[in-house]
Amino acid sequence: MAEKDKKKAAGSPTAYKISKKKLWAFRIISLLILPLIFLALLEIILRLSNTGYETGAIIEREVNEQKLCYNNLKFSWRFFPRNVARDLRPFVFEKQKSQDTYRIFVLGASAARGTPGPEYNFARILEVMLRDKYPDTKFEVITVAAVAINSHVVLELVKDCARYDPDLFIVYLGNNEVVGPFGPGTVLKHSPMSLSLIRTNIALKSTRIGQLLESILDFSEKRKGGWGGMEMFLEQQVRYDSDDLQSMYDYFQRNLEDIYKVAHRAGADVIVSNVGVNLKDCPPFASQHKKTLSDDENQKWQQLYQQAIDYDTAEKYEPAITSYQKAAEIDETFADLQFRLARCYWKIGRHEAARKHYIKAREYDTLRFRADSRINQIIRETSENKTSRGIFFVDSVSALEQGSPNQITGEELFYEHVHLNFSGNYIIARTIFEQMAKILPKSIRENPGPVLNEEQCAEELAYTDFDKFCLLDYMLRQMLDEPPFTNQLYHDELIEKTKEHVKEISGCLQPPNLNNCLEQYKKTSQIRPNDWQLFYRYSLILSDKPADLKAAEDKLSKSIQICPYNPNAYISLVTILYRQNRINDAETILKKLLEIKPNSAFGHFELGKIYLVKKDYKNFIRHTAESLSLDPGDSIESYIALSLGYENIGNRNKAIEVLRKAVENLPEEKTAKGHVYLSALLSKQAQYSEALEEAKLALRIDPGQINEKGFRDYLNNLEKMVQH
């Protein structure tokens, strides 16, 4: 009966056999299609709920019924942790390009950006030249560059810019291929990856799902500090013969070729420049011996090297050269040796030999912040003789050499290792201009006549003695007297020379010369009424005098109105408002700053201070804690303030936790006051033994603490409490 029922069921109209094809189709749908549909729906939901951030370099905003394009301050979040993310240089342009406009995007890192004075970068000088030479054409020269980025990032930049009807891309790139994102010497948490994995990583972070996953991982990991400049890379040394370096060269070449392809598809030409660096006046940042050096060889090398240094110091350059050369026969890869040898050749006038060894010093430098010979060779190989594809190579290195004593680049054109002063930027701009004059549409370039010289360009951009002083003083205080520069040979000599130069320029900032600087700004601002960069610089010179603070505020407000995505303008404006005791206005500006740049440590910290004055402890804690997570700094006072904030809302355990972490993580010599406050909090918790230990620790770190009012009595009372 059972067998009969089976046959009957099998023959019923509702029973059927699934084919293998349908079965596999079902499996594929279950395993692939359905998850993809789920991910697509999740991505849509995340976007609709405004989770995540815009990843493009360019954001569009409607202003007075006109579509304007601005820099996206969140663009670099795909490549850097948010606490160290580098901002794109601010820019603004109309989305709709008029018929008489020639649009140029300048791509690169800090040298293209124009550090330390981006208002005077080669793009700005080039724009002045072009507008003077071809007044009937509206030239838009838009710098899309950021500190510490490399070709992996620039490839994404060119993709974004290609959507905005470019006529020309200018690429000045190569210094950060080792130390930038995904480079072998990066400080970011990237394991060595193939190029395909790097690009997959970047693409994933372009999705809201990828951003959500990243934020979860970031939350689970402790964020350590803000951007520490070049000092961050001290432990990231890469030898010239590293296998990872060879992979980096391959990736750089592929990225450049893909940059050209994107530009070509957009119908734009590309001018590609090789990269100049300071050879003569920038000693290596770090040196390493060859791996195969034996102990006996090392001992012999050290003897010869020290002997050479002794001769060198005594200005006996010929015997110094002989000893350096003998040491080099044992190990020539120690970069400092090559630089010392080059310097000796320079001193005796053998400049070609000096040049050879200055180049070797750069090649063997294991902190690779400068584009090396292979980088520049790749730039030339990928771009030379490709004019039929709209790719044009310019030899800026040769142009910089021609403008240098004995054709060896140095302090005459560079602030330090790679960043150009105004003269250096002028040479780059002039070199690019000469190439542009050959490729511009015939209707534009038929205009004979001279090109503006350096002095004329400086006048057009209001580059005054005030600006020379500010930029050089900034380099002295913020870069040259900090690691890794402090580790370089002849550093003291460099600092003294720079200080003398700063002092010399500062003498020009007294009346009537300072008044001349102000007049130059006034005159130029009337000629260039929409130049937000000019108004930003104008505000700096005005803010020097208390009587001109309101005028400085007006210039900054105008700069922000034209280009609202410039964080530095908001920071300067807040400082000016503080000086006028306009705290409420400063609060408004700080909130606007945090709207455009949520990861501004300055914005959070200053807003926290205002909330503290208002006794709004919850908001004080929120902003101060966020500020310290973005940039912990090395000041114990910030952590004490945060701890007191928690104490004021009755959360003493959290107050103690904040101070414990602070005294653990900050340099011990800066923590005495933190231990005192921690002791007081523990005492309130009746944890007298621990409180006494903290007080004694404060006294050991800072013996002068015993002279503080009441500290001795406090210590005695603690000892009594412990005894009881």
Side-chain angles (χ1 to χ4, degrees):
M1 184 68 182
E3 189 65 29
K4 196 172 182 180
D5 289 341
K6 285 181 183 179
K7 288 181 180 179
K8 185 177 179 181
S12 68
T14 56
Y16 61 91
K17 186 177 181 181
I18 300 176
S19 69
K20 287 186 177 181
K21 286 184 178 180
K22 288 182 178 179
L23 182 60
W24 275 108
F26 176 77
R27 288 170 177 169
I28 290 170
I29 290 171
S30 299
L31 294 174
L32 296 177
I33 306 300
L34 290 178
L36 287 175
I37 292 172
F38 169 76
L39 290 174
L41 288 172
L42 178 59
E43 180 73 13
I44 291 169
I45 291 168
L46 291 173
R47 288 180 181 273
L48 291 174
S49 62
N50 206 27
T51 300
Y53 55 90
E54 296 179 75
T55 59
I58 299 169
I59 54 176
E60 300 175 8
R61 297 291 184 266
E62 194 84 30
V63 180
N64 297 326
E65 299 183 353
Q66 184 181 33
K67 188 65 71 74
L68 297 180
C69 298
Y70 302 102
N71 54 296
N72 180 10
L73 288 166
K74 300 175 183 177
F75 165 78
S76 64
W77 290 9
R78 274 188 290 169
F79 309 95
F80 298 87
R82 294 187 191 184
N83 55 319
V84 296
R86 305 291 80 207
D87 296 336
L88 287 174
R89 174 67 188 151
F91 56 77
V92 55
F93 63 92
E94 296 176 15
K95 180 180 180 181
Q96 187 64 43
K97 188 177 74 172
S98 61
Q99 289 186 346
D100 64 340
T101 296
Y102 190 90
R103 182 168 287 171
I104 304 166
F105 289 103
V106 178
L107 305 172
S110 57
R113 178 184 180 274
T115 300
E119 297 84 9
Y120 311 111
N121 62 22
F122 69 78
R124 292 267 288 166
I125 298 172
L126 175 64
E127 183 178 27
V128 164
M129 290 178 176
L130 289 167
R131 289 188 174 185
D132 177 78
K133 182 74 170 178
Y134 311 111
D136 295 332
T137 300
K138 180 183 176 183
F139 286 96
E140 289 182 343
V141 185
I142 305 155
T143 301
V144 187
V147 172
I149 65 172
N150 56 17
S151 62
H152 297 297
V153 184
V154 171
L155 177 57
E156 299 305 308
L157 288 176
V158 75
K159 291 176 185 176
D160 292 338
C161 296
R163 298 187 295 113
Y164 291 91
D165 200 9
D167 294 292
L168 175 68
F169 287 102
I170 296 172
V171 181
Y172 188 86
L173 179 69
N175 287 317
N176 296 331
E177 293 309 304
V178 175
V179 298
F182 306 104
T186 184
V187 294
L188 307 176
K189 293 181 179 179
H190 295 145
S191 302
M193 296 183 188
S194 67
L195 187 58
S196 58
L197 277 177
I198 290 171
R199 293 183 176 181
T200 300
N201 179 290
I202 293 170
L204 181 61
K205 290 181 181 179
S206 299
T207 67
R208 301 303 170 95
I209 295 172
Q211 293 166 22
L212 178 63
L213 291 172
E214 183 185 28
S215 65
I216 292 170
L217 291 173
D218 280 350
F219 183 78
S220 64
E221 293 182 8
K222 183 180 178 182
R223 290 188 290 179
K224 296 183 178 179
W227 182 255
M230 292 169 63
E231 183 179 356
M232 298 169 66
F233 297 85
L234 286 172
E235 303 303 319
Q236 305 300 317
Q237 297 186 35
V238 179
R239 288 178 52 82
Y240 77 100
D241 54 358
S242 163
D243 291 338
D244 290 337
L245 197 62
Q246 304 311 310
S247 297
M248 179 275 294
Y249 292 137
D250 293 339
Y251 298 169
F252 180 58
Q253 180 172 337
R254 286 276 303 280
N255 285 337
L256 279 182
E257 290 170 347
D258 288 343
I259 287 169
Y260 305 155
K261 289 176 184 176
V262 173
H264 183 71
R265 286 197 296 267
D269 290 331
V270 185
I271 290 179
V272 190
S273 172
N274 53 9
V275 182
V277 303
N278 184 343
L279 291 174
K280 175 172 63 70
D281 299 304
C282 180
F285 290 106
S287 302
Q288 289 184 7
H289 285 292
K290 65 181 183 181
K291 297 176 182 178
T292 58
L293 194 68
S294 68
D295 291 342
D296 289 342
E297 287 175 325
N298 183 49
Q299 186 176 0
K300 180 64 175 174
W301 187 94
Q302 294 291 347
Q303 291 172 351
L304 288 167
Y305 187 56
Q306 187 57 54
Q307 183 184 71
I309 292 173
D310 292 340
Y311 282 131
D312 192 347
T313 305
E315 299 184 2
K316 298 178 180 179
Y317 299 119
E318 294 285 3
I321 288 171
T322 301
S323 294
Y324 283 134
Q325 287 174 331
K326 287 180 179 178
E329 290 173 5
I330 300 171
D331 180 10
E332 74 161 7
T333 67
F334 198 79
D336 278 353
L337 180 148
Q338 294 293 345
F339 190 85
R340 289 182 184 273
L341 181 53
R343 203 165 183 257
C344 287
Y345 278 124
W346 176 271
K347 293 284 188 181
I348 63 173
R350 293 181 59 184
H351 300 118
E352 193 52 45
R355 172 187 169 78
K356 171 186 172 184
H357 290 283
Y358 279 131
I359 290 173
K360 281 191 173 184
R362 176 193 61 188
E363 303 299 290
Y364 291 137
D365 191 344
T366 53
L367 276 177
R368 310 184 77 85
F369 295 115
R370 295 178 288 177
D372 59 24
S373 297
R374 180 66 184 130
I375 288 284
N376 276 329
Q377 182 184 355
I378 290 169
I379 293 170
R380 183 185 288 269
E381 288 174 352
T382 57
S383 59
E384 204 169 34
N385 301 320
K386 293 184 172 62
T387 57
S388 61
R389 293 173 49 196
I391 302 168
F392 303 89
F393 171 75
V394 295
D395 193 350
S396 293
V397 171
S398 293
L400 291 167
E401 289 172 346
Q402 293 300 317
S404 303
N406 303 301
Q407 298 186 20
I408 302 176
T409 50
E411 64 183 1
E412 295 79 13
L413 302 178
F414 291 88
Y415 284 108
E416 18 71 325
H417 59 306
V418 297
H419 298 124
L420 297 147
N421 60 24
F422 195 90
S423 296
N425 276 307
Y426 176 82
I427 289 174
I428 300 288
R430 179 67 185 258
T431 305
I432 293 170
F433 176 89
E434 289 169 356
Q435 178 60 59
M436 283 192 67
K438 300 173 185 176
I439 66 173
L440 285 170
K442 191 175 180 181
S443 58
I444 296 177
R445 57 187 163 91
E446 286 185 343
N447 187 11
V451 180
L452 292 180
N453 60 32
E454 182 181 337
E455 185 178 343
Q456 290 169 321
C457 288
E459 186 175 346
E460 288 286 327
L461 292 171
Y463 178 64
T464 67
D465 287 337
F466 171 81
D467 302 291
K468 294 176 188 176
F469 169 80
C470 288
L471 298 180
L472 193 61
D473 185 59
Y474 171 86
M475 294 303 291
L476 177 63
R477 290 182 294 102
Q478 300 294 327
M479 290 192 71
L480 296 179
D481 213 14
E482 298 289 337
F485 293 99
T486 51
N487 300 337
Q488 289 181 302
L489 296 172
Y490 315 112
H491 177 257
D492 291 343
E493 181 181 316
L494 168 67
I495 292 299
E496 285 306 310
K497 185 186 292 187
T498 308
K499 283 180 178 178
E500 283 298 316
H501 194 186
V502 169
K503 185 178 179 181
E504 178 186 332
I505 299 174
S506 67
C508 300
L509 298 182
Q510 303 301 320
N513 195 52
L514 186 60
N515 293 335
N516 293 337
C517 296
L518 281 165
E519 281 300 315
Q520 181 61 52
Y521 267 103
K522 183 178 179 180
K523 175 185 173 183
T524 308
S525 64
Q526 291 170 347
I527 298 170
R528 303 169 68 92
N530 295 312
D531 188 340
W532 64 268
Q533 300 180 75
L534 175 67
F535 285 108
Y536 172 71
R537 297 294 310 180
Y538 197 173
S539 74
L540 299 183
I541 190 170
L542 286 169
S543 64
D544 201 44
K545 293 182 179 180
D548 291 335
L549 287 179
K550 191 64 176 71
E553 179 188 344
D554 291 342
K555 303 305 177 193
L556 277 172
S557 297
K558 184 163 186 176
S559 178
I560 290 171
Q561 181 183 1
I562 299 169
C563 185
Y565 291 86
N566 179 13
N568 288 337
Y570 291 88
I571 291 170
S572 295
L573 184 53
V574 166
T575 304
I576 286 173
L577 292 170
Y578 277 161
R579 290 173 64 187
Q580 298 178 73
N581 294 316
R582 292 164 55 190
I583 305 304
N584 289 336
D585 290 338
E587 180 181 353
T588 300
I589 298 302
L590 286 167
K591 288 177 178 177
K592 288 182 179 178
L593 170 61
L594 292 176
E595 282 178 17
I596 66 166
K597 187 178 180 182
N599 62 329
S600 170
F602 172 90
H604 285 291
F605 187 76
E606 294 300 325
L607 194 54
K609 282 167 55 178
I610 290 173
Y611 282 126
L612 181 61
V613 172
K614 293 183 173 183
K615 296 185 179 181
D616 182 347
Y617 296 115
K618 287 186 177 179
N619 274 318
F620 161 72
I621 289 169
R622 179 166 66 90
H623 286 287
T624 304
E626 181 64 16
S627 170
L628 292 174
S629 74
L630 290 164
D631 185 7
D634 60 1
S635 170
I636 190 65
E637 281 77 9
S638 301
Y639 294 92
I640 291 171
L642 180 58
S643 175
L644 292 175
Y646 280 114
E647 173 78 351
N648 275 301
I649 64 170
N651 193 343
R652 187 171 294 153
N653 289 333
K654 188 66 177 178
I656 291 172
E657 180 188 331
V658 166
L659 285 179
R660 284 196 192 281
K661 287 182 178 178
V663 298
E664 285 173 10
N665 295 326
L666 294 179
E668 186 182 77
E669 65 273 13
K670 295 180 180 289
T671 60
K673 193 178 289 187
H675 288 290
V676 172
Y677 277 88
L678 181 54
S679 173
L681 290 173
L682 290 167
S683 176
K684 290 179 180 179
Q685 295 279 72
Q687 297 173 249
Y688 301 118
S689 295
E690 290 184 55
L692 181 60
E693 289 302 314
E694 292 295 334
K696 287 181 177 179
L697 192 51
L699 193 59
R700 179 178 66 76
I701 296 169
D702 180 14
Q705 194 75 41
I706 198 70
N707 297 320
E708 293 291 326
K709 185 178 179 181
F711 187 77
R712 188 190 298 273
D713 293 339
Y714 171 71
L715 204 59
N716 291 335
N717 287 334
L718 277 180
E719 288 175 342
K720 289 177 183 177
M721 296 303 294
V722 170
Q723 289 171 3
H724 286 86

